[in-house]
Amino acid sequence: AGRQPHLTGAGLMSMAPTEAALRRRRNVQRQSVGPDGDSDTVTDTDVDGLGDDDLPSGRLSEDERDPMPKSQGPAPQEHGSGENKLTKLVKRLFFGTSLLFGLIYILRLGHLTTLGVVLVLQVLMFRELVNVRYRTRAVLEIPLFRTTQWGWFATCMLYSYGASFSDERLLSLIRSPTLVRLLPYIQAISMACYSVMLMVFVLTLKKGYYKYQVGQLAWTIAIIVVTVVQANSFTQNIFNGLFWFLYPVGLVICNDSMAYFCGLAMGKRFTSRPFLSISPNKTWEGFFGGGVCTVIFAYLFPLLIVRFFHATICPCESLFAAPDCDTPPPFLPVNVDAWGAGGLSVLARAADAAQRRLLGPSQPLLRIQLHGLALGTFASLVAPFGGFFASGIKRAYKIKDFSAIIPGHGGVFDRIDCQLIMGLFTYTYYSTFVQNAGQLSRDRLMHLVSTLPAEERVALYRDLAASLRSDKLL
């Protein structure tokens, strides 16, 4: 019974093709060292020339199998794996609190500084997401590998910020005549950069790596959508008033924190059913408990901001002067008498009465609190899926964090994955339901008029005078 089976010559011949195919698969795998000294592996899924006929029987074809099998993927990168839970919690709280105070300090420096920080965060996010595939797939044989990726990113950033400041509302903030004259050519400059990058990409295609290079281009475009297109909404939110930047950030922080503590206190007590397979530590109790707390926070947080951080509710009227304004309409009290006698009117009256009873007669119900209910609901139900999306990427590439730039928290994208879609929704909601379309202050309007040629200003004066006379205002 212990004898080994006898292999005949025919049996050896029948095994030969399979062993040859396996040797070919192993030979396709090559090692290369990236510019940062990391060793990168290129598998047969990244190069051309290996057909499905070369695969052993019973193995999945190239199109069917995961591009990063467990045997080839890097082990999950644990940060602080030797630390206990209490140490990790203390570290997260310390650095999280430091980031919060840092954010408050940046907001005090004004709109332009806040925008500069957002730009830096976009660069760091792009670097982290590019490195997800670069560390495991980079090949030195491909010319201009990193340059093309950063070239696409720079081109999209130029177009994004140029288009934002070309809008009349932001153009009126620019006092430099040179920049004002340059902005109309931003689209042409961006088109030239795009054309150059397209030609560079095609000229650097290398035989044997076509599939890999096209895959890298698709990945680059995908992360540009995440880091540039979505984050472009932050520019509009900042100049609409720092409140519209701070408020959604606060909602996401509240939801993330309360979901953690609710999950810690009540996790799996009501149901043991898993919430999401890509995020096994998340629970239904944490998701809904955090959502309820976030909606309550969204209702009350504007009162704190309006009372103690009044400058944040002012739209930006100057890039360098401290913001100062009368209270904008969204932050005025709700006129419950104008709501009629419907069901919503009853609820508004009850909320106004309860708030005056609890916080004093001088604290009526504000319009922004009602807007906050919509923003808080989105932050509770939809924004967390930005984090789940990031978790899916990390699961796909078997990494713990995108980087270790923030101790206890991972990388920049680990921290603001939910903020991106929340900022985009805030801009959309503000533009649709809050903003008075085309409203500009007199100072900004006069600055725009001053950029017109002399004959255009004279014509505008005559048209305006005629309009005022027709309305019997002159």
Side-chain angles (χ1 to χ4, degrees):
R3 294 177 59 187
Q4 297 294 327
H6 178 68
L7 296 178
T8 64
L12 290 172
M13 291 294 290
S14 63
M15 291 179 61
T18 300
E19 293 178 355
L22 289 173
R23 282 196 297 272
R24 290 187 62 187
R25 285 169 56 85
R26 285 194 293 266
N27 290 335
V28 170
Q29 220 176 37
R30 296 194 296 275
Q31 294 288 335
S32 67
V33 180
D36 55 358
D38 295 337
S39 177
D40 302 315
T41 302
V42 181
T43 68
D44 54 353
T45 61
D46 301 316
V47 296
D48 306 326
L50 187 64
D52 292 341
D53 294 338
D54 298 323
L55 296 173
S57 59
R59 298 294 297 273
L60 295 177
S61 69
E62 182 177 328
D63 294 332
E64 293 173 323
R65 65 177 183 263
D66 192 306
M68 281 193 64
K70 291 182 179 179
S71 61
Q72 297 172 1
Q77 300 171 1
E78 297 284 349
H79 59 78
S81 58
E83 299 172 327
N84 57 38
K85 291 184 177 180
L86 179 60
T87 303
K88 290 181 180 179
L89 179 61
V90 170
K91 181 188 289 187
R92 287 176 64 89
L93 288 175
F94 174 77
F95 285 100
T97 306
S98 301
L99 290 174
L100 181 60
F101 281 107
L103 174 63
I104 295 174
Y105 176 73
I106 290 168
L107 292 175
R108 289 181 60 86
L109 296 179
H111 301 81
L112 196 60
T113 304
T114 306
L115 182 63
V117 171
V118 170
L119 192 150
V120 172
L121 293 179
Q122 286 180 273
V123 173
L124 293 176
M125 282 192 296
F126 182 81
R127 177 179 177 273
E128 291 176 354
L129 290 171
V130 161
N131 284 343
V132 166
R133 284 176 61 93
Y134 179 76
R135 272 199 298 263
T136 57
R137 295 288 195 265
V139 182
L140 285 178
E141 289 84 352
I142 300 177
L144 302 177
F145 177 73
R146 297 281 272 184
T147 303
T148 52
Q149 290 180 312
W150 284 96
W152 287 115
F153 174 72
T155 299
C156 293
M157 288 283 282
L158 175 64
Y159 178 80
S160 174
Y161 278 92
S164 296
F165 279 93
S166 295
D167 179 75
E168 288 81 0
R169 297 182 63 253
L170 297 188
L171 180 63
S172 62
L173 298 173
I174 300 176
R175 304 303 182 188
S176 171
T178 303
L179 289 178
V180 172
R181 288 193 297 267
L182 181 62
L183 279 174
Y185 300 98
I186 286 294
Q187 286 192 356
I189 296 172
S190 301
M191 182 64 205
C193 293
Y194 176 83
S195 302
V196 170
M197 292 310 305
L198 179 63
M199 291 188 295
V200 168
F201 172 75
V202 174
L203 293 174
T204 55
L205 288 173
K206 187 173 181 179
K207 185 177 180 180
Y209 296 94
Y210 296 151
K211 183 183 297 183
Y212 173 64
Q213 289 179 277
V214 172
Q216 284 296 105
L217 176 62
W219 174 250
T220 302
I221 293 173
I223 61 179
I224 283 175
V225 171
V226 174
T227 60
V228 179
V229 177
Q230 283 193 117
N232 182 55
S233 59
F234 289 164
T235 303
Q236 305 295 335
N237 292 340
I238 289 170
F239 289 110
N240 288 333
L242 290 172
F243 171 89
W244 300 102
F245 175 78
L246 173 62
Y247 187 53
V249 169
L251 295 183
V252 171
I253 292 174
C254 173
N255 182 258
D256 189 39
S257 302
M258 297 312 299
Y260 173 79
F261 288 114
C262 289
L264 199 64
M266 302 180 293
K268 298 186 178 180
R269 292 192 178 183
F270 296 95
T271 177
S272 59
R273 183 179 179 181
F275 182 69
L276 278 179
S277 60
I278 61 173
S279 194
N281 292 328
K282 299 293 189 297
T283 62
W284 290 97
E285 294 84 355
F287 181 77
F288 286 107
V292 171
C293 294
T294 302
V295 172
I296 296 173
F297 178 78
Y299 182 78
L300 298 175
F301 188 41
L303 299 176
L304 178 67
I305 297 179
V306 171
R307 187 165 187 174
F308 297 103
F309 302 96
H310 185 271
T312 63
I313 69 176
C314 296
C316 181
E317 298 292 343
S318 173
L319 291 177
F320 303 101
D324 185 26
C325 66
D326 296 330
T327 303
F331 301 92
L332 294 175
V334 174
N335 185 6
V336 293
D337 295 329
W339 283 43
L344 290 178
S345 176
V346 174
L347 291 177
R349 291 174 186 275
D352 182 69
Q355 187 163 295
R356 290 177 185 270
R357 191 180 308 112
L358 292 174
L359 303 178
S362 62
Q363 188 58 72
L365 179 67
L366 303 181
R367 300 177 190 177
I368 188 61
Q369 292 180 266
L370 302 182
H371 293 304
L373 294 177
L375 294 170
T377 301
F378 187 90
S380 303
L381 299 180
V382 181
F385 283 83
F388 302 148
F389 170 73
S391 297
I393 296 176
K394 290 187 284 189
R395 288 276 177 181
Y397 291 96
K398 298 176 177 60
I399 57 176
K400 175 64 177 177
D401 295 317
F402 288 99
S403 72
I405 192 172
I406 308 173
H409 292 268
V412 173
F413 191 65
D414 291 293
R415 286 299 84 209
I416 61 178
D417 43 14
C418 302
Q419 301 286 359
L420 296 172
I421 190 172
M422 188 67 210
L424 182 60
F425 175 76
T426 301
Y427 167 67
T428 304
Y429 184 89
Y430 178 88
S431 302
T432 306
F433 301 106
V434 179
Q435 173 182 272
N436 294 324
Q439 184 178 15
L440 288 175
S441 67
R442 288 192 303 272
D443 291 340
R444 292 169 67 179
L445 185 58
M446 287 302 298
H447 174 67
L448 284 176
V449 172
S450 68
T451 62
L452 296 174
E455 58 274 13
E456 292 291 333
R457 282 182 281 172
V458 172
L460 178 62
Y461 167 75
R462 291 171 179 168
D463 293 342
L464 181 60
S467 175
L468 292 174
R469 289 192 190 96
S470 67
D471 293 337
K472 298 181 180 181
L473 297 176
L474 281 182

